[in-house]
Amino acid sequence: MPYALFCNDAQISKAYPSESDVWKLAHRSGLVVDASADEERPGPRRVLDNDYEIKPCRVAEGEDPARNKAEADRQSKIELELNS
């Protein structure tokens, strides 16, 4: 099942093959913050900033979640090389 990033119930990212792929995208975009521990989980945990959510989504016609992931991975690699 594909997943995407949403804000106020509006899909704001492309569809990706897994929830973890969208977490990586959100992290690279600066949307992930560490929250303090709570009673259920010790240690810091990651949460999305503001009203962002990661939810299952429908794939738009002609969209390929695997291709979206490959493009995002390629872009991330290029950015790492430029920042080195």
Side-chain angles (χ1 to χ4, degrees):
M1 169 174 290
Y3 287 83
L5 186 64
F6 288 78
C7 184
N8 297 319
D9 292 324
Q11 183 175 336
I12 60 170
S13 77
K14 296 177 181 178
Y16 291 88
S18 72
E19 187 175 359
S20 99
D21 296 324
V22 184
W23 273 106
K24 289 176 190 174
L25 171 70
H27 181 48
R28 287 193 300 257
S29 300
L31 301 176
V32 178
V33 296
D34 286 335
S36 60
D38 59 24
E39 294 176 10
E40 296 176 19
R41 294 186 195 172
R45 58 187 172 88
R46 61 184 185 171
V47 295
L48 293 171
D49 200 12
N50 296 321
D51 294 324
Y52 295 103
E53 297 178 273
I54 296 173
K55 301 192 293 192
C57 68
R58 292 187 177 165
V59 177
E61 188 175 328
E63 184 177 27
D64 179 2
R67 187 177 63 230
N68 292 343
K69 179 185 182 315
E71 289 173 4
D73 290 345
R74 227 179 353 265
Q75 183 64 35
S76 177
K77 184 178 178 184
I78 290 169
E79 289 172 3
L80 283 173
E81 290 173 356
L82 290 176
N83 291 329
S84 302

